[in-house]
Amino acid sequence: MLLGLFIFVEVSVLDAFPFSLMIAAIPNIIGWLAISFARDSSFLYMGRLLEGFGVGIISYTVPVYIAEIAPQNLRGSLGSVNQLSVTLGIMLAYLLGLFVEWRILAVLGILPCTILIPGLFFIPESPRWLAKMGMTEDFETSLQVLRGFDADISIEVNEIKGVKRNLTSTTRASMRSVASTTRRTTIRFADLKERRYWFPLMVGIGLLMLQQLSGINGVLFYSSTIFEAAGVKSSNAATFGVGAIQVIATAVTTWLVDKAGRRVLLIVSSFGMTLSLLVVAVSFFLKDVVSSDSSVYSIMGILSVVGVVAMVVTFSLGMGAIPWVIMSEILPINIKGLAGSIATLSNWFFAWVVTMTANLLLDWSSGGTFTIYMVVSAFTIVFVTLWVPETKGRTLEEIQWSFR
């Protein structure tokens, strides 16, 4: 992820989004091949490292690209489609994992990347990226292709040009200078001291950190273990059921996000997660103190499963997709490469922390583990209420200008 961060900062300044995705797709293919034909654990480690590099870039590039090309009234919904695709992938992995061995599953992981590479030659470049690089005619052509040849793009063109004109001379120089990598990076880090840069970066990092610290990956990755602890016999089938429910809930979010707004869904989602995790924590605590033969023990097992499912559903209604949507909307375009990479790095770092500690915490205390996750979800409500701006119905330029 660190390697992906530094390379993407350079690529995002000098090269196009399709090229960034090309860089990400190739190591993904090599990584899956290394896992599929692994002779020992070193191949598995190498494959996972390559996968981490590729996914780290893709997970940031895709939502940013969608946000920059989407019409204002559909930006939230189209941005949420990215997370919907992620949940579909998780569900398919659960389903295929019931029937095929892991080597074959790794081979199947190559297919999406193989389709992605030729598809990149047919997608238009981001108009805002082209405008930032001073390619005025190309940016207007790209925008016209995206909106349709009969659409009037004059208002959107003027908005994008207005932001470009308002960039400081220092920032313009840092974007245009390709002779000194060190100087460009130094200037861009210095830019983050200004409120219009550090505040949206703080919001983006905060949301993506809290998304992972809520424990969602720990719950998803160890759902079979959790269901077994709750007394569910067909734990693998139950895990697939959770994946299917997550897809449905994320689809609902895709429909709601441009109607209800980002802040409302984030608050409702975090509140629902807090209640769900409270139910799970109490259920596991009570299971530890009652007899395994009692009816209370069975009821607590059912409640813990219901709570886990409710947690996944409420997570998918807001905290799953919307942090990525907001992060891609609020970061100013002239620091988006650096700031977005830092935010994405923090997300995947804490995903790793949660994944590595979840099993240890569950062995320590199932009730205590879910209590920790509950406290994080409760804090998320406060964080969103105090600091996260509403971005529904505003252009990217209006959002970024509001931080000045």
Side-chain angles (χ1 to χ4, degrees), residues 18-54:
F19 185 72
S20 302
L21 287 173
M22 185 80 73
I23 288 178
I26 293 173
N28 269 297
I29 293 174
I30 299 172
W32 283 125
L33 288 172
I35 293 171
S36 303
F37 299 100
R39 295 182 179 180
D40 53 49
S41 60
S42 64
F43 283 80
L44 299 178
Y45 285 122
M46 181 180 69
R48 290 298 295 270
L49 284 170
L50 288 168
E51 287 297 314
F53 173 81

Side-chain angles (χ1 to χ4, degrees), residues 322-345:
I322 295 178
W324 291 104
V325 172
I326 290 181
M327 184 273 293
S328 65
E329 291 176 324
I330 65 176
L331 295 179
I333 193 167
N334 54 318
I335 64 157
K336 192 167 279 189
L338 175 63
S341 298
I342 293 172
T344 304
L345 176 64

